[in-house]
Amino acid sequence: MWSCVLGIFFGVFTAYWSIAIEKLLEIVWKDVPEALLEIGFFTELDGAFPLPHYVWMCPTFFGCVLSYISAILPTPIPGQNEWIESIHHHGVFDPSTFYYIIVISTLGMLSGMSLGPELPLVLVSGMVGTFISSKTRQSVLSARVMSLTAGAAAIGGFFGFPMAGALFVL
């Protein structure tokens, strides 16, 4: 039952997250440059400080800030190998970096850096699956199934193709 609830929740969550990312991308890459041009921070192409400089300045600023934040976190953000090892060897995944992953991955995507949503979605949803399985006192096998189901639902919901989630998580 919990796997179905997680699947539905993460399917809906990721659909709304992708909508939010699209709206925020429009703000960062359309509205902010227009506002900076309007107030005179940037000039037209023939001016002293043309607007195309925003293309390298924005990712550089975001990259510096996000790198600093990642470096000072009390718990390092896990990578794909840590997730795979944890799920296959222990059946569960430590949910302590849940909020950090959501914030850093969202800001990374907004900055224009080459960061896709796949790994953050699988990590976050797997953490929620692990958290719910521990709170409901599920077995290790059930916890593993819930983490994988949540990861598959998150990927399927984000891309709008449920089979993609199942293939990606396997």
Side-chain angles (χ1 to χ4, degrees), residues 8-162:
I8 292 168
F9 172 76
F10 274 105
V12 172
F13 170 79
T14 56
Y16 281 113
W17 190 46
S18 67
I19 292 169
I21 288 171
E22 287 179 22
K23 298 293 182 193
L24 291 170
L25 277 169
E26 187 173 323
I27 291 170
V28 171
W29 289 99
K30 181 180 178 286
D31 297 341
V32 170
E34 287 175 356
L36 291 173
L37 184 63
E38 213 172 277
I39 64 170
F41 185 80
F42 288 112
T43 61
E44 293 295 334
L45 287 176
D46 58 351
F49 197 54
L51 184 60
H53 285 296
Y54 184 79
V55 173
W56 66 265
M57 291 174 68
C58 183
T60 302
F61 173 75
F62 271 98
C64 291
V65 171
L66 294 176
S67 295
Y68 177 73
I69 291 171
S70 296
I72 65 168
L73 289 177
T75 307
I77 293 177
Q80 179 178 354
N81 293 339
E82 290 87 0
W83 180 76
I84 291 170
E85 184 178 320
S86 179
I87 291 296
H88 289 293
H89 291 289
H90 309 293
V92 294
F93 194 65
D94 180 25
S96 63
T97 57
F98 176 81
Y99 297 109
Y100 303 135
I101 292 173
I102 290 178
V103 171
I104 289 175
S105 63
T106 302
L107 291 175
M109 284 184 266
L110 293 179
S111 72
M113 294 187 292
S114 60
L115 175 69
E118 298 87 1
L119 183 61
L121 284 174
V122 171
L123 290 176
V124 167
S125 57
M127 288 176 184
V128 172
T130 296
F131 179 76
I132 290 176
S133 66
S134 68
K135 292 299 180 189
T136 57
R137 297 188 181 122
Q138 302 288 322
S139 68
V140 173
L141 179 61
S142 294
R144 182 179 293 132
V145 168
M146 287 175 62
S147 294
L148 293 173
T149 301
I155 294 296
F158 191 85
F159 292 111
F161 185 61

